[in-house]
Amino acid sequence: MEPETFPDELIDALIGVQRLLRRRLRRQIAPQLRGAEVELLRLVVAQPGIGISDAAKDLYLASNSVSTLVNQLSRQGYLVRETDPADRRAARLMPTAAAEARLAEWRKRRGELVRDGLAGLDEADREALAAAIPALRTLADNLHEEAEET
């Protein structure tokens, strides 16, 4: 692999895996949620009580976009807005039991899909992927830091 084509090939491979997982999961779990909705649910489950502006910052989205997602997920019964006792104008986002169950099912199905895919690889490829995980995490951290600086 040529050094100048490596970034594009890496991106294409990562996006390809993500796209296939998302499509397969969409078919298995109803009702369907968009990627941004799943990302927001994951964030709220991990950080119950997060505010809309903090969620927007963490997801690199505009606050009005997050508000739209919150409205959609609230209508579906996945999120509840609670008034922040310290600032009555601010809302805190809380996951519902349905959201937590939905994410648990999503994680379970995603894990099954990836395990099935890994089972089709030879040992050397599985080891290469396992060895790449720390580098991919560092790459994500580097990209996250660069995004915060802009």
Side-chain angles (χ1 to χ4, degrees), residues 4-109:
E4 63 273 1
T5 63
F6 177 68
D8 287 333
E9 291 184 46
L10 176 63
I11 292 165
D12 289 345
L14 293 172
I15 289 172
V17 169
Q18 177 65 20
R19 182 182 311 119
L20 290 169
L21 283 171
R22 191 173 46 243
R23 285 183 183 160
R24 299 267 313 268
L25 287 169
R26 249 189 231 143
R27 283 186 259 152
Q28 293 180 4
I29 302 174
Q32 296 178 358
L33 296 177
R34 295 187 342 246
E37 292 171 323
V38 172
E39 286 183 45
L40 178 57
L41 275 183
R42 291 175 67 190
L43 179 62
V44 173
V45 167
Q47 297 179 43
I50 191 169
I52 290 175
S53 61
D54 287 336
K57 182 180 175 187
D58 283 4
L59 298 173
Y60 299 99
L61 295 172
S63 290
N64 64 339
S65 296
V66 173
S67 289
T68 299
L69 293 170
V70 168
N71 290 336
Q72 293 165 346
L73 292 168
S74 294
R75 280 192 298 273
Q76 294 176 53
Y78 293 126
L79 289 182
V80 174
R81 288 182 199 223
E82 294 183 355
T83 303
D84 185 341
D87 180 357
R88 308 266 322 144
R89 298 167 297 167
R92 296 284 152 218
L93 304 175
M94 301 300 291
T96 64
E100 291 176 355
R102 173 71 184 253
L103 281 182
E105 180 68 13
W106 178 80
R107 283 186 188 106
K108 177 182 169 245
R109 299 275 177 107

Side-chain angles (χ1 to χ4, degrees), residues 139-150:
L139 174 60
D141 289 343
N142 290 346
L143 292 171
H144 188 271
E145 289 169 10
E146 288 174 17
E148 287 183 346
E149 292 171 5
T150 58

